[in-house]
Amino acid sequence: MADVSQNDKVVQRISGDMRRESIRSRGRRDTEGHVSFYPLCCSQRLVLAIIGFLGFLNLYALRVNLSVAMVCMVNYTAIENTNNVSELLMSAADKQREHDCAGNVENSSRASEDGEFVWDKTKQGLILGSFFWGYLVTQIPGGWLSERFGGKRVFGYSMLLTAVATLLIPIGARCSWILLVFLRVVQGLGEGVVFPAMHSVWSHWAPPLQRSMLVGFTYAGAQIGNVITLPLAALLCEYGFDGGWASIFYIFGAFKQHEIK
């Protein structure tokens, strides 16, 4: 096994040297013979940057979608009725007066907007924060795995794990909020290795003169993912299928799996 791993390292080193030599041969040289420009157009580095951009777009789409879906998932009226003990002491006249002021239309619309889960603020905080429990754990191991097995494989398999966990969120939420917390931790474990994996990839692929541009373009997908996901998740929450909120996880999870394939 040691000989096999050593041979794999040698093959990777040779392929990396051949790739760098191929880049140098296509580069523009100055009067002293040093490479001063690497052509980016139609290069594999550009293709890799675009793929990485889309990957990080989906990375943040799977990370923040629950922040919007939570608004549609929670039954805030039931929480208020549970926590507001003083409401039990209200007289019938006070309740009638409150009802007349609010109006039947407002009450019916409020009831239709409420979700199906009675989660207080503590449970909501645990569900949203549990993602970062797993995200914190795999940061350093992600760098080691990327150097050992290659950043491309680590990036792909980790995002596949995150997509599967996203597809299971509606089922987990309807079974138990603890199971939902577990799925969020799994999402964090999967996404925690993505940044180290991409660092490993660009350390072998990006020439020094283009490294900042390529890395910056790749990681810009994360911010674009936030911009696209938040309003799109809100639309799905209002008009989507299976209660609205569940369609957020089904669509984003299925889209990510299709991209990986």
Side-chain angles (χ1 to χ4, degrees):
M1 294 297 294
D3 294 338
V4 174
S5 61
Q6 187 66 25
N7 291 335
D8 292 340
K9 291 182 180 180
V10 172
V11 171
Q12 292 179 359
R13 188 180 302 111
I14 294 175
S15 61
D17 294 339
M18 293 177 62
R19 189 185 306 118
R20 285 188 290 270
E21 184 62 30
S22 176
I23 293 173
R24 294 191 187 98
S25 64
R26 296 194 302 269
R28 182 185 302 168
R29 300 179 179 272
D30 55 19
T31 56
E32 297 180 357
H34 300 133
V35 178
S36 60
F37 176 77
Y38 299 90
L40 182 62
C41 181
C42 301
S43 65
Q44 294 299 315
R45 301 188 307 283
L46 178 60
V47 175
L48 178 61
I50 295 174
I51 294 175
F53 175 88
L54 295 176
F56 277 91
L57 188 152
N58 282 276
L59 172 76
Y60 272 71
L62 299 180
R63 177 186 296 191
V64 305
N65 53 15
L66 183 61
S67 301
V68 179
M70 183 72 72
V71 179
C72 306
M73 296 170 68
V74 176
N75 190 323
Y76 293 97
T77 301
I79 295 175
E80 292 174 0
N81 293 338
T82 302
N83 296 332
N84 192 6
V85 180
S86 62
E87 184 180 355
L88 298 176
L89 304 177
M90 292 176 62
S91 63
D94 292 336
K95 289 185 178 182
Q96 184 63 37
R97 183 162 54 255
E98 184 183 26
H99 176 77
D100 294 338
C101 293
N104 293 330
V105 176
E106 181 179 350
N107 289 337
S108 62
S109 62
R110 174 63 182 276
S112 63
E113 293 175 357
D114 282 331
E116 55 188 282
F117 302 104
V118 184
W119 294 332
D120 57 21
K121 293 181 179 179
T122 302
K123 290 181 180 178
Q124 294 179 42
L126 288 173
I127 293 170
L128 292 174
S130 58
F131 171 89
F132 297 97
W133 301 347
Y135 192 80
L136 179 64
V137 171
T138 53
Q139 291 289 314
I140 296 178
W144 179 83
L145 290 172
S146 299
E147 289 297 326
R148 178 65 179 83
F149 301 103
K152 179 181 67 175
R153 293 186 179 89
V154 174
F155 187 94
Y157 289 132
S158 63
M159 293 307 296
L160 177 61
L161 175 65
T162 307
V164 172
T166 302
L167 290 172
L168 294 176
I169 281 181
I171 300 175
R174 286 170 173 149
C175 291
S176 171
W177 72 272
I178 297 178
L179 181 56
L180 176 57
V181 168
F182 172 76
L183 291 173
R184 289 288 290 175
V185 173
V186 172
Q187 282 187 312
L189 291 172
E191 294 195 14
V193 303
V194 173
F195 274 96
M198 187 54 65
H199 289 324
S200 175
V201 170
W202 280 129
S203 67
H204 296 287
W205 277 83
L209 297 179
Q210 296 179 351
R211 186 166 297 164
S212 298
M213 177 180 60
L214 292 171
V215 172
F217 176 78
T218 302
Y219 294 158
Q223 312 310 321
I224 300 299
N226 285 331
V227 173
I228 295 176
T229 302
L230 295 177
L232 182 58
L235 290 175
L236 291 173
C237 190
E238 181 69 21
Y239 304 106
F241 56 89
D242 194 14
W245 64 268
S247 63
I248 298 174
F249 304 105
Y250 289 139
I251 291 177
F252 282 109
F255 178 76
K256 183 58 188 176
Q257 281 196 333
H258 176 73
E259 181 189 357
I260 293 173
K261 293 178 181 179

